[in-house]
Amino acid sequence: MGAAVCKLSGKITQQVKRRSSGCKYSCHPQCRDRVSLDCNQSDGPHALYTQDHLNNNQSLYTDVEKEKVQQAQFSREEIQHKIDLYNSATRDHLKMTLNSSGLYTGFIKVQLELHRPITVRGCGGGGDAEAFYLPRGSVNTLHISSSNTVRQVIEALLNKFTVADNPAKFALYKRCRREEQVYVCKLAESEHPLFLRLLAGPNTDNLSFVLREQQTGEVMWDAFTIPELHNFLRILDKEEQDQLQVLTKRYDVYREKLQTALKAAGVPA
């Protein structure tokens, strides 16, 4: 598919771009029924994040401040009422409970969408670690409290799978559906997933959680181990040598052609 040739507005624009996020094709609303979008999106490590980036246009700081205001507005009676509504609407046995301390506990489900392999500590108390890919789309259930932050949820998930990787390599996202559109936004580390779950209700179409690798646009070098960093240096050195060979060969060809042209014109090289 070619690049976008015309602009759409409103809901139709979002729908077309979402269907053809691989090639960015768009058309007039009246032409939409005549267009067949058969482009295939790459299954590379950033394939699932392209559209999410378009939808993730909210400030993390604003989200955290909004959550603080919402929590402060709810009294104990209002929280209990929301918990009762939540428990009556849930289709499974994963209910919430309000404790005498004012904190409440419950369950959240987190979908794992990891494209890179994870390092798992050896079983049986051994020091060996093994790297492998987790099945994409697998869902894990965690029992947490309303005081647990996003950072703590990520650490709990990694501990549950005995993952040795630095938690800073991962991020928790919230996914929701509105008017047949799917929005995915990164959660700030200080947000409270169980509070978001309570507000949204048990329906996972309204809200679901996804664990992914960090996609900040900048490499978090302090999240890698010393052997990993040394390996990166070796890769960079090899790439540098390869690029130097390509450039040297290119200019050798240019030099040869120039010398040939000068010789044909009777000018000494």
Side-chain angles (χ1 to χ4, degrees), residues 46-109:
H46 301 289
L48 292 179
Y49 303 142
T50 304
Q51 181 62 23
D52 298 346
H53 176 71
L54 297 176
N55 294 329
N56 189 12
N57 55 6
Q58 300 182 12
S59 168
L60 296 181
Y61 177 79
T62 302
D63 290 342
V64 173
E65 293 303 311
K66 182 179 178 181
E67 181 193 301
K68 290 181 180 178
V69 172
Q70 287 178 315
Q71 290 194 72
Q73 290 176 343
F74 292 137
S75 64
R76 179 184 175 87
E77 290 73 19
E78 290 173 324
I79 291 293
Q80 182 63 67
H81 178 64
K82 289 185 176 295
I83 290 177
D84 293 338
L85 292 177
Y86 182 95
N87 291 339
S88 62
T90 185
R91 299 294 182 182
D92 49 34
H93 299 290
L94 305 180
K95 300 181 182 296
M96 295 192 187
T97 304
L98 180 62
N99 301 322
S100 58
S101 61
L103 297 178
Y104 50 95
T105 58
F107 298 85
I108 62 169
K109 294 181 179 180

Side-chain angles (χ1 to χ4, degrees), residues 106-110 140-144 152-154 156-158 160 194:
F107 298 85
I108 62 169
K109 294 181 179 180
V110 181
N140 201 270
T141 302
L142 286 178
H143 184 256
I144 62 175
Q152 292 171 330
V153 167
I154 293 175
L157 273 173
L158 299 182
K160 194 169 185 178
L194 193 62

Side-chain angles (χ1 to χ4, degrees), residues 16-206:
V16 172
K17 285 185 177 179
R18 182 167 62 91
R19 291 180 57 194
S20 59
S21 59
C23 62
K24 309 299 181 186
Y25 181 82
S26 59
C27 65
H28 290 103
Q30 59 268 29
C31 303
R32 185 183 178 192
D33 294 336
R34 304 177 185 177
V35 177
S36 176
L37 298 176
D38 56 355
C39 55
N40 295 321
Q41 191 172 355
S42 172
D43 194 30
H46 301 289
L48 292 179
Y49 303 142
T50 304
Q51 181 62 23
D52 298 346
H53 176 71
L54 297 176
N55 294 329
N56 189 12
N57 55 6
Q58 300 182 12
S59 168
L60 296 181
Y61 177 79
T62 302
D63 290 342
V64 173
E65 293 303 311
K66 182 179 178 181
E67 181 193 301
K68 290 181 180 178
V69 172
Q70 287 178 315
Q71 290 194 72
Q73 290 176 343
F74 292 137
S75 64
R76 179 184 175 87
E77 290 73 19
E78 290 173 324
I79 291 293
Q80 182 63 67
H81 178 64
K82 289 185 176 295
I83 290 177
D84 293 338
L85 292 177
Y86 182 95
N87 291 339
S88 62
T90 185
R91 299 294 182 182
D92 49 34
H93 299 290
L94 305 180
K95 300 181 182 296
M96 295 192 187
T97 304
L98 180 62
N99 301 322
S100 58
S101 61
L103 297 178
Y104 50 95
T105 58
F107 298 85
I108 62 169
K109 294 181 179 180
V110 181
Q111 185 173 354
L112 307 179
E113 292 183 356
L114 303 179
H115 294 265
R116 295 191 288 267
I118 59 173
T119 304
V120 177
R121 292 184 291 270
C123 300
D128 295 336
E130 183 179 358
F132 67 94
Y133 289 90
L134 279 177
R136 189 181 303 176
S138 59
V139 178
N140 201 270
T141 302
L142 286 178
H143 184 256
I144 62 175
S145 78
S146 56
S147 65
N148 290 134
T149 62
V150 166
R151 175 78 174 191
Q152 292 171 330
V153 167
I154 293 175
E155 292 174 352
L157 273 173
L158 299 182
N159 288 334
K160 194 169 185 178
F161 287 99
T162 64
V163 177
D165 295 276
N166 193 321
K169 294 182 181 181
F170 305 92
L172 193 66
Y173 292 76
K174 61 179 179 181
R175 175 189 287 151
C176 55
R177 184 183 299 273
R178 301 171 189 167
E179 298 181 356
E180 299 182 355
Q181 298 292 319
V182 177
Y183 298 86
V184 180
C185 299
K186 180 182 175 182
L187 293 173
E189 290 190 347
S190 58
E191 289 188 82
H192 299 83
L194 193 62
F195 178 70
L196 300 176
R197 178 80 278 162
L198 177 63
L199 293 184
N203 191 339
T204 54
D205 283 340
N206 296 334

Side-chain angles (χ1 to χ4, degrees), residues 200-226:
N203 191 339
T204 54
D205 283 340
N206 296 334
L207 174 71
S208 60
F209 297 106
V210 182
L211 182 72
R212 294 177 174 175
E213 291 93 351
Q214 283 277 12
Q215 297 295 324
T216 61
E218 297 182 359
V219 178
M220 303 179 64
W221 296 113
D222 57 345
F224 293 92
T225 63
I226 298 300

